[in-house]
Structures are given as C-alpha cells and as structure tokens.
Amino acid sequence: MAELNLGKGLTAGKVASNVQKKLTRAQEKVLQKLGKADETKDVAFEEGVINFNKQYTEGSKLQRDLRAYLEAVKAMHESSKNVQACLADMYEPDWYGKNDVDSIVEDCDVLWTDYHQKLVDHALISMDTYLGQFPDIKARIAKRDRKLVDYDSARHNYATTHKTKKKDGGIKITKAEEELERAQKVFEEINIDLQEELPSLWNSRVGFYVSTFQSLAGFEEKFHKEISRLDQDLYDVLVKLESTDPTRLVSNNPSCKLCQDFLLPAVPPPPKVTPSKEMKAENIINLFDAAATPDISVTSPTEVSEQLPSTHSRRPLTLHSLLLHRSEPLSSFLWPVCPPVYFPYSILFYSTPEPAAPAPEPAPAAAAAAAPEPTEEATATAEMPPGFLFKVQVMHDYAANDTDELEMKAGDVVLVITFDNPDEQDDGWLMGFKQDDWQQNKENAAKGVFPENFTQRL
C-alpha cells in the first residue's frame, strides 16, 4: 500500500515521525523539570544567546530609527524644495540676482537629493545587511535547542535500557546506543558552529556601529557645510536686493547732516484719536515777501546747514520753520542734498525762536519816563501756580484716557508746570492746569498731563 502524499514533500510517515519527536521532546522536558532526567547545561553558550538577543534588539531599534531619520530627511527635502520654489516664483525677473537665486534653488535641491541617497546607500543598506544574518542564526539556535533535547532523551533512554535485564535486552541496548550516537553527532555539529559564530557576531557590533555613525556624521557634516554656503550666497543676494530697493525712504549716510536734522528721536505714539491738524490763517506768512525770506543757495549739506538762521536752536524741523526760511521750492531745497525724508504728521511741533539779542538800554531819563507803573501783568505772574513754565493754547479737543490726564477743548489756555517727579515725565507729555480753572479754584484746580502735540505755545 502506497504512502499518502500530503504535498510539498510530506508523507504520512514523515508527519508521524515529526509528531513522535515532539511528543518525545515534551516528555523529556517534563522529566527534566521534575528532576527525573538529566539536562545538559552550557553556561557559556547561554551567555552567548543572551548577548545575541540583546544585539538583535538593539540593531532592530537602530534600523527603525534610521528609517525614521531618512523619512525626516526626505520630508525636510520636500519642505525646503517647496519654500525655495515659492521664492523663485515670487522673485521678479528684473530684480537683482534673479539668475543667482534660480541657481541656488536648483543647487539646494540637488544637494538634498544627494544627501538622502548617500544615507540610503551607506547607512540603511549596510544596516539591512547587518541585520539580515540574525534571523538565520536565531533559527539555528532554536534547532540546536531541539537537538539538545533529543540528545538528552537518547542518553536517558540508553541509560534506562542498559539497566533492563530481559532476553532481548542486548538488541535494545544496541539500538539505544545507535540513537544516542546519532543524536550526539547532530547536536555537536550545530553546537560547534554556533559556539564560533555567536562570539564573533557579538564582537562585530563595535566595528559596525563605528562605521555606521561615522558615515552619518561625515555625510551630515558635508551636507550642512554645502547648504550653509548656499544659504550665505542667498543671503548676500537678498542684502544687495534690499540695497537697490527704491522704496527705502531714509538715507543711511552719516555724512548727510541735513538728513540728521530731519530724523527725530523716537517719541511715544499719539493718543488713540489724533485729530487732523490744519494751519490757522494767522500762522501762514506771506511767502512772496522777499524781505522776510533770506536767500539760501544750496550747494552742499554743510552750506545748507550753515545758511539756516542761527536764531533757531536745533529742534525738530517744523513746517513753520521750513516755510519761513526757504527761498526756493521745498523739493529743490532738499533733493540735491539727500533723498526725500518722510515723517509722521504728528511730529510737526512748533519751533520756538531763541530770544533775540537785548535792545540797547535807554538813557536813565528816558528809562524813567518809559517805565510803566505796576500793571495787571505783574500781578498775574505772581498768581501763577508753583513751578509755572509757560502757557500753551489747545489746538484740538483731547478726551482724557486716564484719571491723571487733563480734559481739554480747542481754545483752552493751559498753564504748564514742572512735574513733581521729573522721572515720571514721558516724552511728548506736559503737566499743567487749565487757566480758567486755576483762576477760579487755585490749588483746588484739576491738574493733569496732556499731549504736547495737541497744543501751541503762546
């Protein structure tokens, strides 16, 4: 009767043989655990297996992390490529360095691609090759364990048969001895090979780690060096583009003295609502009166600054002073010296001329005749609040935004006084009393701070 073929080279006889082996091994392990059978121990080999499992675990983790690193590099490549492509698309053809920008963008893309490919070739493939040998060794270790159980089972069977005293005992002893020799031979072949390979594999990890991380470090260093050079080139191009930008308003030339006169110190922002300021009719002078306008011939910044009237201190340049002292159109006054300078409307302060030279004293008799008697003006001066400095007239309504601020209406006259603590004074803010309130209530009048650019000095 022919044997039943189960496919893939298996027959009923082989299946039965395998099942019998599994049963025998299970029975032997139970006897070993119960202490009724001897178990072969190899401490050195067991330590080698522990090291093998540790090495396999570490290598597998490194492989996963390396794959994640390469995915991150690829994602960074795509992000960098998209950002730089966006820059190249937005960069106008007539801007400075258009060809340089396109070349830098292309070189960056090539550099990222080369970096990723080198990591794959010299790190990932090498890592896969290194870990490829572990599954085979792991399977051989498992086979060695099974053959060891077979060997122990054959030894146990031989010892039991040798003690039996039956007529056919010699035949059983001979058969048991043959099984023992066969099991021992198979076990020792596998065991000897693994005894040599496991220590060698364990020691190879140092060289592999060194090679892998040296490659990573070397490729990364080279990549960042090249990409930083391209980034510097792009930065230089953008700096030159900025220097050629026609919308730049203020000249950075320190030798331009007129520009320095126009540039004002930083002042706090005006209040939330700043009404528009219009020049009053009495502040507009006759621009066509030649006697009131000195001739100014602009040939250089130095000469311009020297020809400005010396009766004015170096204060913020105002519309009033520009109109008062110009002899040519404002554009021709400024443009030959430096590019136009723009500044906020809110900084057009008044410009107070410095006191003129005192008039010659009259003769004693004339002085006595001209000396007026004490008037209301002297009395009013004496009635000013302590620390009085000067008067200002409110040009625009101002609604107080805080309890320490002064509510003002256009046309009010305010008596400006010094701050109790000068450190509390902010730039562009004054303190005082409204004149009507002070005359009525004196020390009980409301005192507060207010923005200077809402007023005009009297």
Side-chain angles (χ1 to χ4, degrees), residues 55-293:
Q55 185 177 0
Y56 192 17
T57 302
E58 292 175 348
S60 300
K61 183 178 183 303
L62 177 59
Q63 184 185 44
R64 292 193 302 270
D65 293 342
L66 184 59
R67 289 184 182 276
Y69 178 79
L70 290 176
E71 289 297 327
V73 170
K74 186 176 181 180
M76 188 62 189
H77 177 201
E78 291 298 325
S79 300
S80 176
K81 182 179 179 180
N82 293 338
V83 170
Q84 295 198 347
C86 182
L87 172 63
D89 293 340
M90 295 187 301
Y91 213 90
E92 298 292 340
D94 56 341
W95 288 359
Y96 173 84
K98 170 61 176 175
N99 294 334
D100 294 337
V101 170
D102 293 339
S103 177
I104 291 172
V105 170
E106 182 179 355
D107 291 345
C108 284
D109 182 39
V110 173
L111 194 59
W112 275 104
T113 302
D114 181 66
Y115 177 51
H116 183 269
Q117 189 60 42
K118 285 183 176 178
L119 290 178
V120 171
D121 294 341
H122 296 84
L124 184 60
I125 294 179
S126 177
M127 188 77 215
D128 293 342
T129 303
Y130 169 74
L131 287 181
Q133 57 187 333
F134 283 81
D136 177 65
I137 297 177
K138 185 176 182 180
R140 290 163 60 193
I141 292 175
K143 184 178 180 180
R144 183 254 184 199
D145 291 341
R146 294 194 301 270
K147 297 304 177 182
L148 178 59
V149 175
D150 293 342
Y151 173 65
D152 289 340
S153 178
R155 284 194 306 109
H156 181 246
N157 184 37
Y158 175 77
T160 303
T161 305
H162 199 273
K163 295 179 181 179
T164 303
K165 297 180 180 180
K166 293 183 180 180
K167 295 180 180 180
D168 57 348
I171 299 175
K172 290 184 177 181
I173 293 175
T174 302
K175 186 178 179 180
E177 186 176 358
E178 291 176 356
E179 291 178 357
L180 176 60
E181 291 177 356
R182 184 169 58 252
Q184 182 178 5
K185 180 180 179 181
V186 174
F187 168 73
E188 289 182 350
E189 288 178 356
I190 299 176
N191 185 61
I192 292 173
D193 292 339
L194 291 176
Q195 291 279 11
E196 296 176 355
E197 290 183 22
L198 289 181
S200 176
L201 181 63
W202 174 250
N203 294 331
S204 68
R205 74 192 191 285
V206 177
F208 173 76
Y209 293 156
V210 170
S211 175
T212 301
F213 283 98
Q214 277 184 344
S215 299
L216 283 174
F219 293 142
E220 188 171 353
E221 178 189 13
K222 183 178 180 181
F223 167 75
H224 286 298
K225 184 182 297 183
E226 294 295 328
I227 203 71
S228 63
R229 181 183 60 82
L230 293 177
D231 289 341
Q232 183 63 46
D233 294 343
L234 179 60
Y235 179 84
D236 294 340
V237 171
L238 296 178
V239 168
K240 292 182 180 179
L241 173 63
E242 182 185 18
S243 65
T244 59
D245 184 7
T247 61
R248 300 184 69 193
L249 302 179
V250 180
S251 171
N252 293 325
N253 184 5
S255 63
C256 180
K257 187 175 185 299
L258 187 60
C259 289
Q260 295 176 2
D261 290 337
F262 269 81
L263 297 178
L264 301 176
V267 295
K272 294 180 180 179
V273 180
T274 302
S276 60
K277 299 186 177 181
E278 298 178 356
M279 295 183 60
K280 290 192 174 182
E282 60 268 24
N283 292 335
I284 303 177
I285 65 172
N286 186 358
L287 303 179
F288 301 97
D289 187 359
T293 57

